[in-house]
Amino acid sequence: MISSKTVLALLYLLFGAAPQLLKSCSSFSPSILRNPKKVVHGVRIATSKQNVILQSSPTRQVDATVKAPEKSSNHKVIVNMHSTSDNKNTSSKNNALNLVLVAGFESFNKDLYDSAARSLNDVNIQVFADNEIRTSTTEVNPILAQAMKNADIFVGSLIFDYDDAMAVESLLPHVKGPKLLFECSTELMTHNEIGSFNMKTSDGQEVGPPPAIKAVLSTFTSGKEEDRVSGYVKLLKVGPSLLKFVPGEKASDLKVWLEAYRYWNQGGATNVKHMVELLRKWYRNEDIGRLPDLVVTPDIGLLHPIHDHGFFLSPKQFLEWRLSDDCAEVAASKKFALAPNDSPRCALLLYRKHVITGQKYIMDLITQMEANGVIPIPIFINGVEGHTIVRDLLTSEHEIRGVKDGSVVREDSFQSDKAVTVDCIVSTIGFPLVGGPAGSFEAGRNVAVAQKLLRDMNVPYVIASPLLLQNIPQWKQNGVLGLQSVVLYSLPELDGAIDTVILGGLVGDKIALINERVRKLVERIKGWVNLRRTPKDDRKVAIMLYGFPPNVGAVGTAALLDVPRSLDNLLRRMHQEGYDVGDFATDPDACGESLVAALTILSEDSVIAAGADKMNDALEKRIERAKRGDKTTPETLAKPGAGLGGAKIRAMNIQYDDLEKVMGNYMSKKVRRAWSEKDRGPGLSSKGEMVVSGLQVGNVWITVQPLLGVEGDPMRLLFQRNLTPHPQYCACYEFMGLSEKKGGIGAQTVIHLGMHGTVEWLPGQPLGNDRQSWSDELLGGLPNLYVYAANNPSESILAKRRGYGTLISYNVPPYGRAGLYLELANLKDLLNEYRTSESTDLRQSIWSICQRCGIDNEVPLVISGNAYKESELPENILSEIFYTWAKDVGNYLELLQERLFSSGLHILGSKPSEDDLRSYLSAYFKDTLSEEEYKIALQSIGSKNENKWWDILMFLKNLFHDRRDESSRENEARMAVAKEVVSLLSRNTEELDSVMTGLDGGYIPPAPGGDLLRDGTAVLPTGRNIHALDPYRMPAEGAWIRGRKIAEDTIQQHLIKNNGAYPETVACTLWGLDTIKTRGESIAIVLALVGAKPIKEGTGRVVRFDLIPLDELKRPRIDVLASLSGIFRDSFANVVDLLDDMFERCAQADEPIEMNFIKKHAMELESEGVERPAARLFSNPPGDYGSMVNEVVGTGDWQDSESLGETWKGRNVFSYGRNEGSGGQGISGTARPAVLDKLLSSTERVIQEIDSVEYGLTDIQEYYANTGAMRKAAENRKAVDSTGKKKKVALSVVEAFGSPSDSNAKVPVRDVEDVLRLEYRSKLLNPKWRDAMINQGSGGAYEVSQRMTAMVGWAATAKVDKFVFDQAAERYALDEEVARKLQKANPEAFKNVVRRLLEASGRGMWNADDDTLRKLRELYSDADDLIEQVDSLYN
């Protein structure tokens, strides 16, 4: 009996619903993967017409007009038609029906379709793969074009690349008969047509089925929203058999379409043949009669290479067979290696269609996993129902325990009679767990469902797959490219996936595995499972701290994190959980500061030179010196037991031969070639042995990550791609994970404590580790728990993807407001007094303070059109002029005192204090909460009864005041958010909870990376496996609005300062961090400068950047030099390709050069014979990261500011984009010095966006090392003017701290010198910031130290005012109390503070008085002498 709801659903299909129905599930296989083999992406755009024009060759005239996609500008698709005689593939069969089949992104199935074609005598089938759709950037493959002209029937499958879809769409009008498109882009799906049935949509038709169809779909699903896609699949499959109840021709035609789809979906040569026969009969109006039976493969099944009797229908049935004696006997007879029955059990999700089509890699994968000691449970699915497998057919020991104790509630759909217990889940499918490929259209929509399932399972969720659309040499050359990176990395990471392993790729048209990569997958699975199976008190854990750069007090530091106190919390929590941490947790004198101090001593060159055997003596002598009050030794070592909690030195001297045995010949030969016996890098004893050392605390080994480069030559490692880590770096990681029986440390897992280390930055693949990637080699199978700052979703991507990091986020420190201090506070008082009295006696005092503080630079006193600079005010100054100026100074002080900064450092797992919570709330609500509102919000962490009474009070208020005004409702909503903020921040303790979960080999729930001020409460609580976002949806709408406004404001800023002249070239920095956090504002800035806009296809993905017509733009197109960070280059390869395509089209646009500076400069370069004159995207060498300018500044090994610009240029001369190989052919990243020189020489302004309060212009080295140095490189190429100086290049800084959802918020654009003054006044020179930092111990002292280094970097690449150096010296070096605190906490950091001040003077950056310099030299000499005395003890 057919229900009325089902008939209603079928009627909806018939009368217009089909396109929406299919739009929601238009891809059940890897159909959104772009084929990176093609460089031919983009079609030429015609901006003046509304239709796509088909241009034919003279031999055959074709007239066809196709409506262009609604959201895109017009695309001119060039189609070169050839006559039939020119088409060599045309069949000679008489009266044969011509069918064209475009196989799209399943090139590995082309042989299958060809074989089906050969079996039919009266049908001429021409099969094309995706890489045969177009022959160049602008031309459709002429063979395909001619075939389509002759086609009677067209079938297209898995065509999803936007440019390919547009090319196919332009050819569809030529097809005489049916057009069937299966699982293609939404633009193509609307062209489905057979007889009276079509899928065209009406204008304004709502996407998605109406309530009636949703109701009927519930009969095909569990009724859950997350199951709707699999419900659509079921409905499509039963549709044909139900349509017999619906009369009419349209139903008959729809039935043919559905039957054809079913044949295609089931796959295999027989089904494809039946599909073609069906279409042939329909086209020739023959009686279709009874259709041949489908060759059906179950929707879900399991298989095994030695099982020859069909598929298993449940995991339990499979596992019972797999563990049986029968299986063992068959394996023995076939000489098949089975994993032992107690091996880790791994659910392996496979593509059903790959099973149907007999892809060999599936059986190879199962075979290799068995041979290497893991039992795979291989479950094939359509792709959309991965979550139903996890929910209904899998369980784990953790879930079973949770069900028993009530902490886990299973869904009713769980099938205990079919389910099995597993140790991990591996998906070869990628995409979101819920919905698979179809779920990618609404990425993140069902993340909560996936998280709940995986959290209940609490086992590792791993992605491992061969590259389906990229051949192995391309992967080896360029890494994982395009949409494949989204499918295998970005989308699964939203669900908390870890440890993605690329298993192989295409060889020809076949999918091939690399056995070594399968072994890597198994190694990592076993690492996680064995960790969980080991009792806690026996688990061996390594904790890795950082110590770079050397000799400046950096040991035991990390961005925004108090590492010593975090180490305290971590070890004590491990003790509570049952781990062996020796006596540390029970010793009241033990502290992390002492551990860090001891590790600092072990890291000293002189101590390393003496070798491992002498390290105990070195530490004991230093402890004695600390007890005697030696200033060069941290006073924490003077505590009883040195505060070490019984920690012992565990160190070893390693011979090179021993390292080779551990590493194997392949990688050790690389090291030997790169590092000769005479130059084996740092970390060696005087005997030439590699020294690996650390502190042993119970079963926990704490060490410092080896230095990456060589002091004095810091860029050596990263400057050449074929270089390797130095031998001691390799030895540290190799012996850390080596078992104790084999002479190693025996660590079963490593915790990288804080942001960030260097292992993920080592040479290797940009994305998709292979055998030659050094992070892959050194981490091996070691589970890597990476404690990382929550507000850096950019660099954390590298740690996750290249360094196999399971991320555990930590919160940012509380925010502080700068306020006013010392002379600035005095100035404000004087201004207030002056405003009320207008006393002329106060003017000189106000002016003198402003000059001493440098405020006259930001707020110049303009007299007679010029900025006044004399120390004495003129007596005849007009009162109106001075009053107006004084008012402007007051406004500046208001701006300054409201600026935010990070106050101190965060301690892992610590709850914020009430004062801390107030500071977070103040920053979040911009100081608009009243004292009463603060109290109410803070009650959410106090008594539950207090909260309950407040809620009752609000309920009564609402009950009796239904007509509350809007402001009351807004206040209540605001208070709800405030209480939520407080509640979430109070869950900082979950940071340590997640570390403990990770140490148990469990699942860490994901969350977006970001900060509270920009991203709101979505980034809380911390302790999460942070991820980035879908790179195919940038710029977001709000980012596009804000970025466009920033670009226009920057242009106006330039016009005002340059007499109305437009800049010909603007340099923009594109960084991964600000791109992720702003949702693509920097991309939008580039587009707006050029005069382009983002174009989206039907699913909302950005697919093209189209040029805005000049008559609409109303100004010239400004050329852009885009400086890409290595992370942006690798993480947003799709954006790089789209930008490159835009610049190429812009350079070829039919526009006057005075209105198109891109074209102007490209033509000039072309006239000089320069290749790729439209290249505009420059970055570091492929696979490398960083400009190395900060390393050079850190060592002091540089001559002048010009040399820093040339260092930047030498590291950023590599051009990227679709036309440089990132599209899949050639080498990604080609050195183009001539183009870069041209762009630098024409650059008149640089733009740098800053995305967060925590990483201001003066807080980290990267800003001056990249943006500042790029500016110097541009200035180096300017002509010398009449004054003998080169023209300065302006640098605009955009502080985009606000929420990206607030597109109307004003984003200030300021000159760099103005921002530097604001930054220094609000932070480094501010006693409030200083005191908060130096109270953080050694880590806080290091933060001060590295800002002094950055100050020298900025003085070299921009301008740092004299008052900044003067006050920095006064606040830190010459203040005896502060100097004493710094030196006691971190002697090396204090020495660096003094050193940088002396360096600034020596380089002419700071004109210090003689007395100040004398005092600084004495301080430095004293510190240097004491440190040298200590060093001499061990030489």
Side-chain angles (χ1 to χ4, degrees):
M1 186 71 180
I2 303 299
S3 72
S4 60
K5 286 196 297 183
T6 302
V7 175
L8 181 61
L10 296 171
L11 291 171
Y12 183 62
L13 272 171
L14 288 171
F15 297 105
Q20 281 72 30
L21 184 77
L22 291 166
K23 187 175 293 185
S24 298
C25 58
S26 62
S27 177
F28 312 129
S29 53
S31 59
I32 70 166
L33 290 173
R34 172 170 66 81
N35 186 349
K37 289 188 284 188
K38 305 190 301 298
V39 188
V40 288
H41 288 78
V43 285
R44 195 181 301 279
I45 296 178
T47 57
S48 58
K49 304 215 176 190
Q50 290 300 314
N51 296 322
V52 173
I53 309 299
L54 300 185
Q55 297 180 335
S56 63
S57 66
T59 58
R60 175 77 72 175
Q61 186 67 37
V62 179
D63 294 318
T65 302
V66 184
K67 185 178 180 182
E70 184 176 343
K71 292 186 179 180
S72 175
S73 67
N74 314 296
H75 298 70
K76 185 183 291 183
V77 181
I78 299 177
V79 183
N80 292 315
M81 291 292 191
H82 297 272
S83 64
T84 305
S85 60
D86 294 330
N87 184 359
K88 297 179 181 178
N89 291 332
T90 301
S91 173
S92 60
K93 302 172 187 175
N94 293 327
N95 300 318
L97 181 141
N98 292 317
L99 187 150
V100 174
L101 194 155
V102 176
F105 299 126
E106 50 173 344
S107 60
F108 44 84
N109 280 331
K110 190 181 177 188
D111 286 349
L112 181 150
Y113 294 125
D114 282 334
S115 66
R118 289 192 295 270
S119 67
L120 296 166
N121 294 322
D122 57 348
V123 180
N124 169 38
I125 302 181
Q126 289 177 264
V127 182
F128 298 85
D130 60 329
N131 60 346
E132 297 171 314
I133 294 175
R134 288 174 292 126
T135 58
S136 72
T137 307
T138 58
E139 292 191 350
V140 174
N141 179 359
I143 299 176
L144 172 62
Q146 185 62 45
M148 293 286 278
K149 181 180 181 297
N150 297 327
D152 299 304
I153 299 174
F154 174 78
V155 177
S157 65
L158 307 179
I159 306 169
F160 210 87
D161 178 274
Y162 181 74
D163 294 322
D164 286 348
M166 293 299 95
V168 170
E169 185 182 54
S170 70
L171 298 173
L172 287 175
H174 296 290
V175 179
K176 301 179 184 67
K179 295 177 277 287
L180 291 84
L181 295 115
F182 301 138
E183 302 182 10
C184 294
S185 71
T186 53
E187 286 80 9
L188 287 180
M189 291 300 291
T190 60
H191 290 281
N192 266 296
E193 183 177 1
I194 181 167
S196 58
F197 173 74
N198 65 68
M199 293 188 180
K200 295 176 182 176
T201 55
S202 303
D203 291 340
Q205 189 170 358
E206 183 183 355
V207 174
I213 206 74
K214 289 180 180 177
V216 72
L217 284 173
S218 66
T219 66
F220 293 92
T221 70
S222 62
K224 298 182 175 66
E225 195 273 341
E226 64 265 25
D227 292 347
R228 65 191 176 94
V229 176
S230 56
Y232 291 147
V233 178
K234 293 176 184 177
L235 179 59
L236 284 172
K237 288 180 178 178
V238 302
S241 57
L242 299 179
L243 279 167
K244 62 185 180 182
F245 295 95
V246 182
E249 182 182 349
K250 193 168 187 178
S252 173
D253 293 335
L254 171 59
K255 181 178 179 181
V256 173
W257 187 94
L258 288 171
E259 290 288 8
Y261 172 77
R262 288 209 299 178
Y263 281 125
W264 174 85
N265 181 263
Q266 284 292 335
T270 302
N271 285 328
V272 171
K273 179 181 176 181
H274 292 336
M275 176 190 75
V276 174
E277 289 176 335
L278 169 65
L279 295 175
R280 175 183 58 79
K281 287 183 178 179
W282 183 94
Y283 186 79
R284 291 182 170 167
N285 205 25
E286 297 176 4
D287 182 24
I288 293 175
R290 185 179 182 279
L291 294 173
D293 291 336
L294 277 170
V295 179
V296 177
T297 302
D299 289 344
I300 296 171
L302 298 92
L303 71 167
H304 197 278
I306 63 171
H307 186 265
D308 302 326
H309 307 295
F311 303 115
F312 298 96
L313 297 181
S314 76
K316 189 169 186 177
Q317 182 189 20
F318 169 85
L319 191 59
E320 287 175 349
W321 167 83
R322 170 58 187 78
L323 301 178
S324 68
D325 293 339
D326 288 345
C327 176
E329 289 174 7
V330 173
S333 68
K334 295 186 176 183
K335 297 182 179 180
F336 184 94
L338 289 176
N341 283 358
D342 61 351
S343 300
R345 297 175 186 177
C346 171
L348 182 65
L349 302 182
L350 303 166
Y351 266 123
R352 172 176 167 273
K353 198 150 193 177
H354 292 182
V355 173
I356 293 171
T357 55
Q359 299 300 321
K360 183 176 180 293
Y361 84 89
I362 289 179
M363 291 305 189
D364 290 345
L365 176 57
I366 298 169
T367 300
Q368 287 293 321
M369 292 181 74
E370 290 271 20
N372 287 282
V374 166
I375 299 176
I377 301 173
I379 309 170
F380 62 79
I381 58 177
N382 283 303
V384 300
E385 61 275 79
H387 68 290
T388 67
I389 301 300
V390 176
R391 183 187 66 201
D392 303 341
L393 298 175
L394 300 177
T395 188
S396 66
E397 293 178 357
H398 176 272
E399 186 179 58
I400 292 169
R401 288 195 302 270
V403 171
K404 287 182 179 178
D405 64 26
S407 61
V408 172
V409 178
R410 278 196 184 123
E411 298 286 347
D412 294 339
S413 54
F414 179 73
Q415 302 176 49
S416 58
D417 58 331
K418 297 180 180 180
V420 296
T421 302
V422 297
D423 295 302
C424 73
I425 300 168
V426 173
S427 171
T428 67
I429 294 168
F431 293 100
L433 181 65
V434 179
S440 66
F441 295 122
E442 300 171 286
R445 175 168 179 168
N446 288 304
V447 163
V449 176
Q451 282 187 38
K452 202 283 183 177
L453 295 174
L454 294 170
R455 202 166 191 170
D456 288 349
M457 289 288 291
N458 198 29
V459 298
Y461 174 50
V462 176
I463 303 298
S465 174
L467 298 173
L468 303 181
L469 302 156
Q470 198 172 336
N471 66 45
I472 291 175
Q474 290 165 353
W475 164 42
K476 295 286 187 178
Q477 181 65 59
N478 298 322
V480 178
L481 300 171
L483 275 167
Q484 285 188 130
S485 67
V486 178
V487 169
L488 298 180
Y489 290 90
S490 301
L491 295 176
E493 286 167 0
L494 300 179
D495 295 330
I498 61 171
D499 287 9
T500 298
V501 179
I502 303 303
L503 300 177
L506 292 178
V507 175
D509 287 335
K510 303 300 179 185
I511 304 170
L513 293 186
I514 298 175
N515 290 341
E516 177 274 327
R517 289 291 85 194
V518 181
R519 290 195 294 272
K520 172 62 65 175
L521 168 65
V522 171
E523 185 183 18
R524 296 209 61 79
I525 291 171
K526 291 166 74 173
W528 284 108
V529 176
N530 292 339
L531 181 64
R532 182 167 62 247
R533 290 182 175 182
T534 302
K536 290 181 180 179
D537 58 352
D538 288 336
R539 285 179 196 164
K540 306 294 194 297
V541 178
I543 300 176
M544 184 77 76
L545 309 184
Y546 314 125
F548 185 84
N551 305 319
V552 292
V555 172
T557 62
L560 307 177
L561 185 69
D562 186 330
V563 173
R565 294 180 192 176
S566 297
L567 194 55
D568 271 348
N569 281 0
L570 176 57
L571 291 172
R572 296 182 194 284
R573 176 63 182 273
M574 290 177 70
H575 171 72
Q576 293 172 11
E577 296 289 333
Y579 291 84
D580 181 358
V581 296
D583 298 328
F584 187 90
T586 56
D587 184 344
D589 295 306
C591 65
E593 285 285 4
S594 289
L595 295 176
V596 168
L599 289 167
T600 301
I601 294 167
L602 300 186
S603 301
E604 292 175 2
D605 292 341
S606 58
V607 175
I608 293 171
D613 300 335
K614 300 292 185 180
M615 285 186 163
N616 272 313
D617 292 342
L619 181 57
E620 289 298 327
K621 289 177 181 178
R622 198 66 65 85
I623 291 171
E624 289 301 316
R625 295 177 72 92
K627 291 178 179 178
R628 295 199 300 268
D630 180 0
K631 290 183 179 179
T632 66
T633 304
E635 65 177 354
T636 183
L637 292 176
K639 290 183 175 183
L644 294 174
K648 304 297 182 185
I649 293 175
R650 187 178 184 186
M652 58 186 73
N653 298 317
I654 299 171
Q655 300 287 337
Y656 200 89
D657 289 345
D658 294 332
L659 177 62
E660 286 191 335
K661 290 176 185 176
V662 175
M663 290 183 68
N665 289 332
Y666 182 73
M667 297 302 267
S668 61
K669 283 180 179 178
K670 285 174 167 279
V671 177
R672 192 179 284 278
R673 282 195 300 267
W675 303 86
S676 67
E677 285 195 34
K678 294 181 180 179
D679 180 20
R680 284 194 172 170
L684 302 182
S685 72
S686 58
K687 297 179 181 178
E689 296 171 316
M690 293 162 279
V691 180
V692 174
S693 65
L695 296 174
Q696 192 73 41
V697 185
N699 282 335
V700 180
W701 186 65
I702 308 169
T703 189
V704 177
Q705 191 174 58
L707 299 179
L708 187 60
V710 180
E711 191 172 6
D713 186 12
M715 67 179 67
R716 174 173 178 182
L717 175 62
L718 295 181
F719 205 11
Q720 298 179 32
R721 192 175 187 180
N722 61 350
L723 281 179
T724 75
H726 56 76
Q728 189 261 349
Y729 194 109
C730 298
C732 179
Y733 274 92
E734 295 284 5
F735 279 79
M736 177 172 65
L738 188 67
S739 70
E740 291 179 284
K741 291 181 180 179
K742 295 181 179 179
I745 299 298
Q748 295 173 278
T749 183
V750 60
I751 301 172
H752 284 88
L753 189 57
M755 181 182 77
H756 60 72
T758 54
V759 68
E760 66 268 27
W761 300 81
L762 296 176
Q765 288 291 356
L767 183 62
N769 287 341
D770 63 4
R771 178 70 179 91
Q772 299 182 59
S773 298
W774 278 99
S775 54
D776 184 272
E777 163 64 28
L778 298 185
L779 287 164
L782 207 59
N784 179 13
L785 301 177
Y786 211 134
V787 179
Y788 219 93
N791 69 341
N792 194 343
S794 171
E795 291 176 318
S796 65
I797 290 177
L798 261 69
K800 182 191 290 277
R801 297 176 181 178
R802 299 184 89 235
Y804 296 116
T806 297
L807 302 178
I808 298 168
S809 63
Y810 58 85
N811 207 353
V812 300
Y815 299 103
R817 290 205 181 271
L820 298 177
Y821 52 87
L822 303 177
E823 286 196 305
L824 293 176
N826 186 27
L827 176 60
K828 182 179 180 181
D829 291 340
L830 286 173
L831 286 169
N832 288 336
E833 187 178 350
Y834 174 75
R835 286 173 187 167
T836 56
S837 67
E838 293 193 36
S839 170
T840 57
D841 295 338
L842 297 175
R843 290 179 181 177
Q844 185 61 50
S845 297
I846 292 171
W847 175 246
S848 296
I849 294 177
C850 285
Q851 281 201 312
R852 283 198 301 274
C853 296
I855 289 178
D856 58 323
N857 291 311
E858 284 100 331
V859 190
L861 175 59
V862 179
I863 300 176
S864 300
N866 297 311
Y868 188 76
K869 289 297 182 183
E870 300 299 323
S871 59
E872 297 293 327
L873 281 175
E875 294 182 3
N876 60 348
I877 185 171
L878 294 176
S879 296
E880 290 181 4
I881 291 176
F882 191 86
Y883 186 87
T884 302
W885 173 79
K887 183 179 179 181
D888 292 340
V889 172
N891 292 338
Y892 177 80
L893 293 180
E894 288 288 333
L895 170 68
L896 179 61
Q897 71 179 10
E898 292 302 313
R899 282 182 70 86
L900 294 169
F901 59 77
S902 289
S903 181
L905 300 171
H906 178 69
I907 301 171
L908 187 70
S910 293
K911 274 190 177 183
S913 68
E914 187 169 309
D915 287 342
D916 293 339
L917 290 169
R918 277 178 173 267
S919 74
Y920 286 115
L921 290 172
S922 171
Y924 187 77
F925 290 100
K926 300 178 182 178
D927 253 353
T928 58
L929 293 181
S930 67
E931 183 60 29
E932 183 64 25
E933 287 172 325
Y934 276 120
K935 289 180 180 179
I936 293 168
L938 293 172
Q939 284 174 0
S940 61
I941 61 170
S943 166
K944 292 183 179 179
N945 288 332
E946 290 179 7
N947 284 319
K948 181 176 72 175
W949 287 115
W950 166 256
D951 292 338
I952 291 173
L953 180 63
M954 295 309 298
F955 171 77
L956 292 173
K957 181 180 178 182
N958 296 343
L959 182 65
F960 295 106
H961 297 82
D962 289 336
R963 297 181 180 179
R964 292 168 295 152
D965 59 25
E966 187 173 345
S967 64
S968 296
R969 289 193 294 271
E970 288 178 356
N971 285 339
E972 289 173 21
R974 186 171 65 162
M975 286 312 302
V977 174
K979 293 166 78 172
E980 181 187 20
V981 168
V982 169
S983 175
L984 291 171
L985 287 169
S986 300
R987 291 168 62 185
N988 282 354
T989 52
E990 293 182 21
E991 295 167 357
L992 284 175
D993 293 344
S994 289
V995 176
M996 296 305 107
T997 299
L999 289 175
D1000 269 338
Y1003 168 79
I1004 310 297
D1011 63 72
L1012 179 63
L1013 300 189
R1014 277 201 63 86
D1015 304 289
T1017 56
V1019 301
L1020 297 174
T1022 44
R1024 298 297 185 262
N1025 188 358
I1026 55 175
H1027 56 73
L1029 42 76
D1030 185 349
Y1032 282 80
R1033 298 182 187 275
M1034 288 192 294
E1037 191 61 35
W1040 166 238
I1041 295 170
R1042 284 161 62 106
R1044 189 171 52 194
K1045 181 69 166 58
I1046 290 167
E1048 294 303 326
D1049 287 350
T1050 303
I1051 292 171
Q1052 288 303 313
Q1053 182 188 40
H1054 190 90
L1055 292 173
I1056 291 169
K1057 295 189 176 184
N1058 292 272
N1059 299 316
Y1062 283 95
E1064 288 206 4
T1065 303
V1066 171
C1068 294
T1069 54
L1070 296 179
W1071 287 8
L1073 181 59
D1074 72 67
T1075 298
I1076 292 169
K1077 294 181 71 175
T1078 67
R1079 308 295 192 266
E1081 281 177 22
S1082 55
I1083 299 168
I1085 292 170
V1086 173
L1087 298 183
L1089 288 171
V1090 171
K1093 61 184 178 181
I1095 300 300
K1096 299 178 181 179
E1097 44 84 278
T1099 67
R1101 295 179 184 271
V1102 175
V1103 292
R1104 185 186 298 278
F1105 299 141
D1106 272 1
L1107 300 181
I1108 298 169
L1110 286 175
D1111 57 358
E1112 180 182 338
L1113 187 62
K1114 295 181 171 53
R1115 62 163 173 82
R1117 300 192 192 280
I1118 294 169
D1119 205 349
V1120 175
L1121 163 56
S1123 172
L1124 317 180
S1125 73
I1127 297 176
F1128 183 96
R1129 172 198 67 200
D1130 298 340
S1131 302
F1132 302 102
N1134 64 300
V1135 177
V1136 174
D1137 281 353
L1138 293 179
L1139 287 171
D1140 189 46
D1141 172 63
M1142 176 193 72
F1143 282 119
E1144 286 286 349
R1145 287 184 281 112
C1146 197
Q1148 299 169 19
D1150 184 13
E1151 297 171 349
I1153 60 173
E1154 63 271 14
M1155 294 297 290
N1156 184 336
F1157 296 141
I1158 300 99
K1159 182 176 183 179
K1160 175 185 176 182
H1161 299 152
M1163 289 177 66
E1164 290 170 355
L1165 285 164
E1166 194 170 23
S1167 69
E1168 299 168 9
V1170 176
E1171 293 183 354
R1172 282 238 47 223
R1176 293 296 182 271
L1177 308 164
F1178 289 86
S1179 187
N1180 314 132
D1184 284 357
Y1185 303 87
S1187 70
M1188 295 299 160
V1189 171
N1190 49 324
E1191 281 80 359
V1192 171
V1193 170
T1195 62
D1197 186 23
W1198 55 287
Q1199 296 299 316
D1200 50 32
S1201 60
E1202 286 75 15
S1203 70
L1204 297 180
E1206 295 314 293
T1207 297
W1208 179 89
K1209 189 247 182 180
R1211 284 286 295 171
N1212 286 273
V1213 74
F1214 298 90
S1215 168
Y1216 291 85
R1218 177 174 293 171
N1219 298 285
E1220 298 287 7
S1222 63
Q1225 294 183 356
I1227 298 174
S1228 180
T1230 304
R1232 299 200 182 279
V1235 181
L1236 182 57
D1237 273 332
K1238 176 70 175 180
L1239 293 171
L1240 287 170
S1241 67
S1242 61
T1243 293
E1244 298 175 63
R1245 185 169 289 273
V1246 178
I1247 299 178
Q1248 171 69 64
E1249 185 169 41
I1250 299 175
D1251 59 87
S1252 67
V1253 169
E1254 297 86 5
Y1255 305 126
L1257 208 59
T1258 63
D1259 292 321
I1260 57 177
Q1261 314 292 322
E1262 283 73 14
Y1263 287 121
Y1264 76 78
N1266 290 280
T1267 310
M1270 176 170 61
R1271 180 200 202 189
K1272 290 306 300 183
E1275 290 177 348
N1276 289 351
R1277 285 152 181 80
K1278 299 301 180 188
V1280 177
D1281 62 20
S1282 58
T1283 65
K1285 295 182 179 180
K1286 293 183 177 181
K1287 182 181 177 182
K1288 293 293 184 182
V1289 173
L1291 171 50
S1292 297
V1293 176
V1294 182
E1295 294 185 311
F1297 299 158
S1299 169
S1301 62
D1302 186 2
S1303 58
N1304 295 319
K1306 182 173 176 56
V1307 181
V1309 179
R1310 299 186 177 98
D1311 286 335
V1312 64
E1313 287 79 12
D1314 293 336
V1315 177
L1316 285 172
R1317 294 184 194 107
L1318 280 170
E1319 279 274 298
Y1320 284 126
R1321 288 191 177 112
S1322 60
K1323 297 177 184 176
L1324 187 67
L1325 305 182
N1326 189 343
K1328 189 175 177 182
W1329 181 91
R1330 178 198 64 189
D1331 295 343
M1333 200 59 76
I1334 63 176
N1335 287 334
Q1336 301 285 161
S1338 61
Y1342 171 71
E1343 291 294 327
V1344 172
S1345 166
Q1346 65 105 7
R1347 281 167 176 78
M1348 291 291 189
T1349 302
M1351 189 163 64
V1352 171
W1354 273 120
T1357 57
K1359 179 189 176 184
V1360 175
D1361 294 301
K1362 182 178 183 296
F1363 82 87
V1364 176
F1365 284 108
D1366 288 341
Q1367 294 183 23
E1370 292 171 10
R1371 304 278 196 277
Y1372 296 96
L1374 303 180
D1375 184 313
E1376 291 184 7
E1377 179 63 21
V1378 172
R1380 186 186 65 81
K1381 283 186 176 181
L1382 288 172
Q1383 195 163 35
K1384 290 178 85 173
N1386 193 327
E1388 286 188 332
F1390 175 72
K1391 180 182 173 183
N1392 187 64
V1393 168
V1394 180
R1395 173 191 168 190
R1396 297 305 176 187
L1397 290 168
L1398 289 172
E1399 182 182 5
S1401 173
R1403 291 184 182 274
M1405 301 169 173
W1406 173 36
N1407 184 21
D1409 62 73
D1410 292 341
D1411 187 52
T1412 297
L1413 290 176
R1414 178 183 57 78
K1415 291 177 181 178
L1416 291 173
R1417 290 190 186 108
E1418 288 175 359
L1419 284 170
Y1420 190 77
S1421 178
D1422 290 344
D1424 211 28
D1425 288 346
L1426 287 167
I1427 290 174
E1428 286 181 6
Q1429 289 173 26
V1430 174
D1431 286 348
S1432 67
L1433 294 173
Y1434 311 108
N1435 287 336

